[in-house]
């Protein structure tokens, strides 16, 4: 836990960074530059037109109570669509193994709460990870073991250390795939081997794959995997389809645990919006159309959309990456998703204070400290490839000019 506390300060400082960015805007009248943020700023990147059209026509139903346990149609449809890539305990998915949730943060909270009720007391987190993962575990009183990646730029898993950590009693392994904010998808065989190992140790696995789907080479929305019955898988099409205003997530796992999670959702989260099932079905149909195109070897609207988004992400990587490499930075070998990690040996650049940078330059520099990704030899930060590449390059040059050492 001491290691977690030591690294917590950087994540907590993010609130001070946001305050500093707002102060910069008030004092200068200029909008901040969010090099490592979350928003889609590039007009060439957007959600599938057909999906947006369908969501636009879903009636809001503001007077209706709705709970995930009632979404029988969405649960059945999710099992039908996702069984092409997920088998639990050697069997195809069924509706009872799917929970329909509004967002991935709810999924994280409810899954960990359910597993704590089942006796789990320790969480092993494979870094990099995001702030909410650690925060939820702390609030639930779970003992946290945070294990750094074996390699800074690739986020490679430290398999021996993870294996040793899972031997210590009733535990939960949390793995974010693709590696959070690095843009590298873990090999399917490695993910499955780790899940199998955890199962042998009597541990649970919470596999957070909310950003799985935008692979840079493969056109498929996901890989085919066999998972043990002690695995929970979280997936969020709204993240993949770049729609933040109408979210949905799916949590997959053993039927008994899913039932428990739905009970907890009603008690802890309450009702959801009345049209939540219709929203979930729209995402599932888009996922299914994409999968069908891949299976039939056709380039329809969904594959064309996905290839267009990836091509633009690669274009932005090339623009921003060229400037960073000229300054001596190394780039993560991105193969999935909208993020890039830029790193440089600490001897060439003293660690920069993100609060000071926000106050002085109006730039959000999301250092790897914020996703618990530390290395004594390297310093680095995240670049959002959905952002405006020219504005990002301008911001980085503004911050880094004159600060690099030979």
């Amino acid at each position: 836990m001491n290691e977690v506390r030591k690294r917590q300060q950087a994540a907590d400082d993010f609130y001070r960074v946001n305050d500093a960015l707002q102060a910069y805007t008030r004092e200068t009248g200029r909008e901040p530059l969010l090099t490592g943020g979350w928003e889609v700023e590039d007009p060439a990147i957007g959600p599938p037109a057909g999906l947006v059209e369908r969501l636009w026509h879903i009636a809001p139903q503001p007077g209706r109570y709705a709970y995930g346990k009632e979404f029988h149609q969405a649960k059945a449809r999710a099992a039908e669509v996702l069984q092409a890539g997920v088998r639990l305990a050697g069997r195809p998915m069924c509706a009872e193994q799917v929970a329909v949730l509004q967002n991935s943060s709810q999924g994280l909270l409810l899954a960990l709460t359910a597993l704590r009720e089942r006796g789990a007391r320790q969480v092993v987190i494979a870094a990099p990870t995001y702030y909410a993962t650690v925060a939820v575990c702390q609030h639930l009183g779970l003992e946290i073991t945070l294990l750094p990646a074996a390699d800074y730029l690739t986020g490679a898993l430290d398999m021996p250390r993870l294996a040793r950590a899972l031997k210590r009693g009733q535990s939960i392994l949390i793995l974010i795939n693709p590696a959070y904010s690095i843009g590298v998808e873990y090999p399917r065989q490695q993910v499955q081997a780790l899940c199998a190992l955890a199962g042998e140790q009597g541990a649970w696995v919470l596999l957070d794959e909310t950003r799985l789907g935008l692979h840079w080479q493969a056109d498929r929305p996901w890989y085919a995997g066999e998972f043990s019955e002690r695995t929970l898988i979280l997936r969020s099409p709204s993240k993949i389809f770049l729609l933040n205003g109408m979210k949905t997530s799916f949590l997959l796992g053993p039927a008994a645990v899913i039932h428990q999670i739905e009970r907890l959702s009603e008690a802890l989260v309450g009702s959801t919006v009345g049209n939540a099932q219709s929203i979930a079905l729209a995402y599932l149909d888009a996922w299914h159309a994409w999968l069908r195109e891949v299976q039939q070897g056709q380039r329809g609207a969904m594959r064309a959309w996905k290839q267009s988004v990836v091509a633009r992400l690669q274009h932005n990587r090339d623009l921003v990456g060229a400037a960073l490499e000229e300054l001596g930075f190394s780039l993560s070998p991105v193969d999935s998703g909208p993020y890039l990690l830029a790193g440089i040996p600490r001897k060439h650049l003293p660690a920069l204070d993100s609060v000071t940078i926000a106050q002085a330059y109006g730039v959000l520099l999301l250092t790897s400290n914020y996703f618990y990704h530390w290395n004594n030899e390297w310093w680095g930060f995240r670049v959002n490839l959905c952002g405006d590449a020219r504005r990002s390059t301008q911001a980085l040059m503004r911050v880094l000019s004159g600060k690099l050492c030979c």
Side-chain angles (χ1 to χ4, degrees):
M1 195 67 173
N2 289 336
E3 183 70 12
V4 176
R5 288 198 185 101
K6 184 177 76 173
R7 299 183 177 187
Q8 188 71 34
Q9 188 60 48
D12 288 343
D13 280 348
F14 186 64
Y15 295 100
R16 295 175 57 218
V17 172
N18 276 330
D19 291 342
L21 288 173
Q22 293 172 11
Y24 174 87
T25 298
R26 287 195 302 269
E27 293 166 7
T28 66
R30 301 172 185 168
E31 289 297 316
L33 299 173
L34 310 179
T35 61
W38 298 264
E39 298 298 328
V40 177
E41 298 174 337
D42 188 333
I45 297 176
L51 176 58
V52 173
E53 179 72 12
R54 178 166 172 181
L55 290 171
W56 182 260
H57 286 95
I58 293 176
Q61 303 180 27
R64 182 176 182 271
Y65 282 101
Y67 297 93
K69 68 180 182 182
E70 302 168 346
F71 298 160
H72 304 296
Q73 188 179 357
K75 287 160 62 72
R77 181 64 168 153
E80 177 189 358
V81 172
L82 291 164
Q83 69 178 236
V86 178
R87 290 175 66 88
L88 290 173
R91 295 184 295 274
M93 294 292 301
C94 63
E96 290 72 25
Q97 294 174 308
V98 180
V100 181
L101 304 168
Q102 279 195 280
N103 56 61
S104 55
S105 295
Q106 285 185 9
L108 180 71
L109 169 64
L110 295 170
L112 289 171
T113 304
L115 295 181
R116 187 187 65 170
E117 284 189 353
R118 289 174 170 266
R121 293 293 176 264
Q122 178 207 24
V123 176
V124 178
I125 304 174
T129 188
Y130 52 102
Y131 178 82
T133 310
V134 175
V136 169
C137 292
Q138 289 176 327
H139 282 287
L140 291 175
L142 296 166
E143 178 191 345
I144 301 170
T145 300
L146 190 66
L147 294 181
D151 182 85
Y152 184 72
L153 286 173
T154 68
L157 297 172
D158 192 333
M159 295 288 281
R161 290 189 66 188
L162 287 168
R164 288 195 296 272
L166 289 172
K167 293 179 181 179
R168 297 194 303 241
Q170 188 70 19
S171 57
I172 307 165
L173 169 67
I174 300 180
L175 176 65
I176 317 295
N177 181 42
Y180 188 70
S181 291
I182 291 182
V184 176
E185 190 174 316
Y186 296 122
R188 174 181 62 86
Q189 296 86 349
Q190 191 176 43
V191 172
Q192 293 193 250
L194 191 54
C195 290
L197 176 63
E200 291 171 5
Q201 300 294 345
W204 287 91
V205 177
L206 177 51
L207 184 56
D208 185 334
E209 296 187 327
T210 53
R211 288 208 176 274
L212 183 72
L214 290 178
H215 197 280
W216 284 24
Q217 284 79 43
D219 273 345
R220 49 170 171 70
W222 51 72
Y223 59 90
E226 295 266 356
F227 302 96
S228 78
E229 60 183 359
R230 296 177 74 84
T231 304
L232 296 171
I233 303 168
L234 188 58
R235 292 188 177 170
S236 295
S238 47
K239 274 192 171 70
I240 300 306
F241 293 134
L242 309 171
L243 286 161
N244 296 319
M246 298 179 77
K247 291 186 173 183
T248 198
S249 292
F250 301 97
L251 186 61
L252 318 175
V257 181
I258 293 300
H259 175 75
Q260 183 182 4
I261 284 167
E262 290 175 334
R263 174 182 59 79
L264 287 167
S265 177
E266 188 170 342
L268 300 179
V269 179
S271 62
T272 184
V273 294
N275 59 1
Q277 177 162 234
S278 298
I279 293 171
L281 288 168
Y283 282 116
L284 288 166
D285 286 349
W287 247 350
H288 183 250
W290 180 358
L291 183 64
R292 188 172 62 247
E293 288 178 17
V294 172
Q295 291 172 336
Q296 296 176 355
Q298 299 173 345
R299 189 178 186 273
M302 293 304 301
R303 285 181 79 189
W305 164 81
K306 186 264 183 181
Q307 291 166 8
S308 174
V309 168
V310 168
R312 190 64 180 184
L313 295 176
Q314 291 171 329
H315 167 81
N316 290 345
R317 186 273 313 271
D318 292 343
L319 282 179
V320 177
L324 287 168
E325 288 176 332
E326 201 169 306
L327 292 170
F329 282 84
S330 297
L331 310 178
S332 58
V334 185
D335 66 6
S336 183
Y339 296 123
L340 165 74
L341 176 68
I344 194 168
R346 289 183 181 272
K347 63 183 180 182
H348 296 317
L349 180 68
L352 302 178
D353 179 67
S354 295
V355 177
T356 302
I357 290 170
Q359 290 171 336
Y361 302 106
V363 171
L364 169 62
L365 196 67
L366 198 64
T367 67
S368 62
N369 300 358
Y370 291 110
F371 36 101
Y372 301 93
H373 189 49
W374 293 63
N375 188 285
N376 292 331
E377 304 298 325
W378 288 86
W379 181 88
F381 55 89
R382 177 174 98 177
V383 178
N384 175 20
L385 298 176
C386 286
D388 185 304
R390 298 191 186 281
R391 279 165 50 86
S392 294
T393 302
Q394 170 194 346
L396 293 171
M397 298 305 289
R398 184 191 302 175
V399 170
L400 298 171
S401 179
K403 293 184 174 62
L404 295 165
C405 307
C406 299

